[in-house]
Amino acid sequence: MATLSQRAAGAFVIQFRDEQRRRKTITLGRRFTEKTAKDLHEAVEKLVHCRDNATALDRRTTVWIETASAELQNKLADAGLIAKPQRHTLEELWDTFLAQKTEIKDSTRKTYDAARERFFAFFKDDELLSQQTQARMIQWRDTLRGDFAKASIAGTLTRTKTVFNWAVAQGWITKSPLDGVGRGSFVNRENDRFVLPEEYGRLLEASPCQDWRAIIALARIGGLRCPSEVLRLRWSDVNWERNRFYVRSPKTEHHEGKGGRVVPLFPALRAELERLFELESSVGQEFVITRYRDPERTNLGTQFGRIVQLAGVDPIPRPFDNMRASRSTEVYAEFGAYLESQWIGHSHKIAKDHSLQVREIDFDRAATAEPGKFTDSLSDCAAFLGAGAASSRASAVQSAAAGGCNPLQRCADKKKEGAVTP
């Protein structure tokens, strides 16, 4: 179907016939190697075969064409074997993708902007999209490991994969070069820090105003995300009579039925909100927090750092996340997994991977338990759960040690309810 020959001067010549049976010639100068000529000849034969038999081109040849040099792609296009290749650059890819993402939140756009900045710290703007390979993506990922935490790298790769998958959907490329490149884990326990109840009290005492006391209470006692959920709380969301309030959640609102949740008005939280509500500055106000709403002028993290210093509390990394995680741990221990998920506003998997912590009080309880009580309780759970419980028993103990949960209490709760799913 196609022939390959070499002229006396050293140039390679590939000849084949088009659909009208006219002879077509592709010439490669002496600077091309024999291997390149043979690879191109093989591609031409495959293309002619697929054209004549109305069949799809095999994956290997498709990838070879996509990763071939622009000059070789142009020769195939000029010979009528492929469409004129689209010369999309990496800069064009990111610009076009972000331009059409008009519906995403500002916080999400910032994560894409961060991923883009890290991407172009390694790649050049004018590199062709079609020239990118899995090997180069692995090289990029490996360079990130020297500068960023694992969870941050996982987020960067996830956003970048979304961009390349969009390019596939647009027909710019047939396969993402990030396919098969592991992103790593989002789980990062290095900065976990349980905020003790006594520390919470000292933070309140060091707060400069009642607004700040309410912010801290909403995060540490209510388990709200700060600032997104805290600053969206309205007085109309608070049901004083029924001791509960409604939390709007921008993080989960794109999931059906997850636009918000109802949270108990825990006594310690109610006390701080009542004090704020009774102030003259709160009269006629729509939102609970009014003094720190301007993101251009207010950095809650910086101000909270000053409060921590004034309170004489040890530094708290990721303070609002850790206050929320501390409350998640307490609610889980006291009320169980289902209510923790409903009130804190995340799945049990997210709680296990990112929120639940082991407290000193958990060690103290285990060390002072009555002799034999722990073993007997495990045996009781195993008998109740039925077949296969022996293996799940060990899993439950490991989960308790790693996540701060109490499988014995959960088993007892389920016995009372009369329903257990092994």
Side-chain angles (χ1 to χ4, degrees):
M1 290 182 290
T3 62
L4 172 63
S5 60
Q6 186 174 18
R7 293 173 179 168
F12 294 96
V13 176
I14 299 172
Q15 292 188 321
F16 65 96
R17 293 190 181 275
D18 64 14
E19 292 178 291
Q20 286 74 42
R21 311 308 298 168
R22 295 174 299 192
R23 188 182 297 277
K24 289 284 187 177
T25 301
I26 298 176
T27 304
L28 297 178
R30 289 185 299 174
R31 59 190 176 84
F32 288 94
T33 65
E34 182 178 0
K35 182 181 183 306
T36 301
K38 287 181 176 180
D39 288 343
L40 182 59
H41 172 247
E42 181 181 353
V44 171
E45 283 204 316
K46 294 283 184 64
L47 288 165
V48 172
H49 174 80
C50 292
R51 181 201 68 194
D52 293 343
N53 295 277
T55 58
L57 192 62
D58 65 276
R59 179 68 193 156
R60 179 175 174 274
T61 305
T62 300
V63 171
W64 185 89
I65 294 173
E66 287 181 347
T67 57
S69 67
E71 185 175 0
L72 292 180
Q73 290 179 349
N74 286 334
K75 287 181 180 293
L76 291 172
D78 292 341
L81 292 172
I82 64 171
K84 197 71 174 178
Q86 302 181 59
R87 301 299 181 193
H88 298 295
T89 64
L90 293 179
E91 181 179 37
E92 181 186 1
L93 167 64
W94 280 88
D95 287 346
T96 308
F97 172 82
L98 292 175
Q100 54 86 41
K101 296 291 285 186
T102 57
E103 79 287 355
I104 61 176
K105 298 182 177 67
D106 289 342
S107 58
T108 303
R109 183 169 291 278
K110 288 179 181 178
T111 65
Y112 276 110
D113 290 340
R116 175 184 175 136
E117 182 178 350
R118 295 171 186 178
F119 184 84
F120 284 113
F122 182 85
F123 296 94
K124 295 180 180 178
D125 294 355
D126 58 356
E127 287 188 49
L128 291 178
L129 171 61
S130 60
Q131 302 294 312
Q132 304 312 308
T133 63
Q134 184 188 74
R136 288 211 71 207
M137 295 298 154
I138 292 175
Q139 285 181 327
W140 171 52
R141 181 199 63 188
D142 292 344
T143 62
L144 292 175
R145 290 174 173 168
D147 299 317
F148 302 99
K150 292 179 180 178
S152 181
I153 294 173
T156 296
L157 291 174
T158 296
R159 293 303 186 197
T160 308
K161 283 187 176 184
T162 301
V163 175
F164 277 99
N165 288 340
W166 177 85
V168 173
Q170 302 306 306
W172 288 14
I173 51 177
T174 59
K175 182 180 179 181
S176 168
L178 275 166
D179 283 356
V181 178
R183 72 181 184 189
S185 174
F186 283 99
V187 178
N188 183 1
R189 291 295 196 171
E190 294 179 1
N191 290 320
D192 281 4
R193 159 82 151 82
F194 190 85
V195 181
L196 297 167
E198 52 267 33
E199 292 179 315
Y200 165 70
R202 290 159 65 183
L203 291 170
L204 291 185
E205 293 176 0
S207 297
C209 63
Q210 188 58 40
D211 279 69
W212 256 112
R213 290 177 66 101
I215 291 171
I216 294 172
L218 286 167
R220 177 59 181 84
I221 306 301
L224 273 65
R225 297 178 177 92
C226 185
S228 61
E229 293 177 347
V230 168
L231 295 185
R232 283 173 172 78
L233 184 64
R234 296 170 168 82
W235 287 117
S236 59
D237 297 327
V238 182
N239 190 328
W240 302 104
E241 292 75 19
R242 301 187 67 190
N243 278 308
R244 63 196 64 180
F245 63 104
Y246 181 74
V247 178
R248 292 175 172 82
S249 181
K251 184 178 181 67
T252 60
E253 65 183 2
H254 60 286
H255 298 294
E256 185 176 356
K258 300 292 185 180
R261 63 188 185 277
V262 179
V263 178
L265 203 53
F266 299 103
L269 174 58
R270 179 178 181 125
E272 297 305 326
L273 291 181
E274 283 181 338
R275 292 190 185 99
L276 182 59
F277 184 72
E278 292 169 359
L279 293 178
E280 185 176 347
S281 59
S282 295
V283 175
Q285 295 292 340
E286 176 184 7
F287 292 98
V288 173
I289 305 300
T290 59
R291 296 186 61 180
Y292 304 101
R293 304 193 59 80
D294 186 355
E296 299 296 328
R297 301 176 57 187
T298 304
N299 186 317
L300 294 181
T302 300
Q303 294 193 38
F304 184 79
R306 300 190 187 104
I307 294 173
V308 169
Q309 289 182 327
L310 288 172
V313 171
D314 289 338
I316 306 174
R318 298 171 35 248
F320 298 116
D321 289 340
N322 272 314
M323 284 196 289
R324 172 177 158 83
S326 299
R327 191 52 172 169
S328 169
T329 301
E330 292 171 342
V331 171
Y332 188 99
E334 185 170 352
F335 298 99
Y338 178 74
L339 292 180
E340 187 275 340
S341 177
Q342 294 296 306
W343 293 346
I344 303 299
H346 53 206
S347 69
H348 177 55
K349 183 181 186 308
I350 293 296
K352 178 174 67 69
D353 289 345
H354 301 281
S355 296
L356 299 180
Q357 301 179 15
V358 179
R359 305 166 295 175
E360 285 298 320
I361 190 174
D362 297 316
F363 287 103
D364 295 340
R365 288 173 57 200
T368 58
E370 296 179 18
K373 183 176 181 180
F374 187 69
T375 304
D376 294 342
S377 298
L378 277 178
S379 300
D380 183 55
C381 283
F384 182 66
L385 291 174
S391 61
S392 62
R393 183 191 319 165
S395 176
V397 175
Q398 292 174 356
S399 177
C405 57
N406 189 337
L408 304 182
Q409 182 62 46
R410 293 170 63 193
C411 180
D413 292 343
K414 291 183 178 293
K415 286 181 67 176
K416 293 177 182 179
E417 297 171 1
V420 169
T421 301

